[in-house]
Amino acid sequence: MNGKLVDTNVIIRYIKDEGNLDDIFEEERICFSSITLGELLLGAECSTRKAENAEVYNDFCKELEEIKPDSSVAPYYAKIKAQLKQNGHPIPENDIWIAACAMAYDLTVVTADKHFSFINGISIENR
């Protein structure tokens, strides 16, 4: 694999210092999807400390490489969505896009979500 793509739940746990995740962020190439930033900012928006939490998430993500869902990611999204539909394993739409970003850039998804295992051909590190 060509690095790691950290999922929303891993970033939140890391920022909160939960779960001994320091080793992940010592890797050479650590990325996040702009979809993940959207999920983080949604959490901030729904919190009682909107501005403070948004600043923490934005500052944290500035230290990582951003992967954006673009035309190179779209075919992976389509294949994943079709495969999940065919196999009867729906997962959250945002996670399909995160998985597509990881596959397009040959990255391992680091996540606590078990449903990524329903996706054929993806590299996952469960944390």
Side-chain angles (χ1 to χ4, degrees):
M1 288 291 114
N2 196 16
K4 296 190 177 184
L5 183 74
V6 288
D7 193 16
T8 310
N9 51 54
V10 172
I11 292 174
I12 290 170
R13 286 176 40 227
Y14 180 78
I15 289 172
K16 290 182 175 183
D17 198 23
E18 298 174 357
N20 194 22
L21 301 168
D22 290 343
D23 61 311
I24 294 168
F25 295 93
E26 294 169 1
E27 297 283 329
E28 194 167 311
R29 183 174 186 210
I30 303 298
C31 309
F32 74 98
S33 168
S34 53
I35 301 296
T36 294
L37 180 57
E39 290 180 337
L40 291 167
L41 294 175
L42 171 61
E45 189 63 31
C46 294
S47 74
T48 56
R49 300 179 323 189
K50 293 178 177 141
E52 180 183 335
N53 287 335
E55 183 178 6
V56 167
Y57 295 142
N58 279 312
D59 287 348
F60 181 82
C61 287
K62 285 178 187 172
E63 301 299 317
L64 308 176
E65 179 183 342
E66 183 175 2
I67 303 295
K68 298 177 182 180
D70 58 18
S71 59
S72 69
V73 173
Y76 290 93
Y77 167 84
K79 288 178 185 176
I80 293 168
K81 179 81 173 186
Q83 177 242 312
L84 291 169
K85 193 176 245 189
Q86 183 178 27
N87 294 339
H89 292 294
I91 69 172
E93 198 72 20
N94 283 350
D95 287 343
I96 298 171
W97 280 107
I98 291 167
C101 286
M103 291 180 85
Y105 289 88
D106 194 29
L107 300 166
T108 297
V109 176
V110 182
T111 184
D113 291 333
K114 303 292 184 206
H115 56 249
F116 280 95
S117 65
F118 294 130
I119 300 170
N120 295 336
I122 192 169
S123 175
I124 305 165
E125 181 179 326
N126 288 307
R127 298 298 291 261

